[in-house]
Amino acid sequence: MPQTIKEQPSGLYIQTPDQQPIAFPLKHTNVSAKIAGNLSRVEVTQSFENPFTTTLEAVYIFPLPDEAAVDEMLIKIGDRTLKGNIKKREEAQQIYEQAKQQGRTAGLLEQERDNIFTQSLANIKPGEQIDVIISYSDSLKFTGGNYEFVFPMVVGPRYIPGVGIEDPSGGGTAVAPLSQNQDTDLVPDASRLNAPILPEGMRSRHDINITVEIDAGVPIQKINSPSHQLQIDHTGQNARITLAEGDTIPNKDLILRYQVAGKQTQTTVLTQSDERGGHFAVYLIPAIEYAADQIVPKDVVFLIDTSGSQDGMPLMQCQELMRQFINGLNPDDTFSIIDFANTTQQLSALPLANTPQNRAQALQYINQLRADGGTELLQGIQAVLNFPVADVGRLRTVVLLTDGYIGNENVRFV
């Protein structure tokens, strides 16, 4: 049967001889991000300390942006620094296992999904402090005249479809910290995907510092965050943002938005030089608003999750958002609605013109949606792929509304 995660304490984990996970405290996380144009360079330092009296192997799961390109990992233990090399997964696992068996300190960083990573640290001596430094590059989303920088801090629990299999060890080297997240025939590495969740009312035992420096090349306006309180310092066209005091608990993703668009299309050039030479990038920043006849007509397919986890407030919020979407379409747009849980249903077999009658039909369809069943997202995506191709000159847009992740997102469509 499909599984959902149970409550567990949070933190880095070690494995005892009887295969029981023990909390290995994460002391502090420091994030330093530098943004130039639409590109970010981020350095994440996570500091741990072995409080036990025996040498340990430790494992922890953490998130990064799903399009991040990780290109450097350093592990600092005392006065030693270990620099990671990028290898194919099987080769890296063999090197790590060999070092572990020889009693050497070693680290292995494995990518489980686009946005989930597992870090293994072998032979950590009693009392040692460990700093794991990971560097990556990422691009920022640009929507409605705003750039959006996101730093994830939570690995959301995934819906795991399929039938459980007996061996919960997963396909990688690291021991899975959640043995009750059993592997299934459809998600054979499920035990490596879901991170521990704190019980309700308990806070994380560590804090996080985040510093974001922005060079947009044009004046920056309206810096804000829907997730955190910020402290903002402006210097000319640059800005430096940190988390406000008292808002440094890593229990939700940081979402940072800032406006660079104005009434007219803008151009700017950003330059950079290092030992490899000089580089430059030219940016065209669109205006905030355009006339309706300047916008390409859209063929919008709304894909909405109506699984059981959406029951109550999540579904109500999605329904209200859908009403706003439908009533905010441009005159030449077309639309349809597909909802999914264990099965899929849809408002219409073909896109509907944006008429008062069709909008009323859509709103009635939205109002009758009910939440029940599993998060079979892939069935919903398949229904979108089977939808008629958009006409020439129209832009097909898919809007997905869901509250969760799935474990079998790597399935290939045929």
Side-chain angles (χ1 to χ4, degrees), residues 4-68:
T4 55
I5 191 171
K6 296 182 180 179
E7 293 180 346
Q8 286 288 319
S10 179
L12 178 67
Y13 277 74
I14 64 170
Q15 201 76 8
T16 63
D18 58 355
Q19 301 299 302
Q20 294 299 314
I22 296 179
F24 188 97
L26 171 62
K27 295 180 62 177
H28 183 70
T29 299
N30 186 75
V31 180
S32 176
K34 295 185 177 181
I35 299 173
N38 70 324
L39 300 176
S40 64
R41 181 66 179 169
V42 184
E43 182 180 278
V44 182
T45 302
Q46 294 179 309
S47 300
F48 303 89
E49 185 174 355
N50 180 357
F52 302 101
T53 58
T54 184
T55 299
L56 303 173
E57 178 185 17
V59 178
Y60 69 101
I61 299 174
F62 63 97
L64 288 178
D66 56 8
E67 295 184 356

Side-chain angles (χ1 to χ4, degrees), residues 99-120:
K100 183 173 70 172
Q101 295 302 322
Q102 294 173 350
R104 293 185 291 158
T105 302
L108 175 65
L109 179 65
E110 300 176 84
Q111 186 173 16
E112 310 296 348
R113 292 294 187 271
D114 289 347
N115 63 339
I116 299 180
F117 290 76
T118 298
Q119 176 72 64
S120 305

Side-chain angles (χ1 to χ4, degrees), residues 197-223:
I197 293 180
L198 284 173
E200 185 176 355
M202 182 180 294
R203 62 147 288 180
S204 173
R205 290 177 292 177
H206 74 283
D207 293 336
I208 187 168
N209 285 341
I210 300 180
T211 302
V212 181
E213 298 178 0
I214 304 173
D215 179 7
V218 294
I220 301 171
Q221 309 172 50
K222 299 180 181 178
I223 299 175

Side-chain angles (χ1 to χ4, degrees), residues 145-172:
N146 293 286
Y147 277 123
E148 181 178 273
F149 171 80
V150 176
F151 181 76
M153 303 188 206
V154 176
V155 177
R158 273 167 157 72
Y159 169 78
I160 306 297
V163 178
I165 55 181
E166 292 185 1
D167 181 9
S169 62

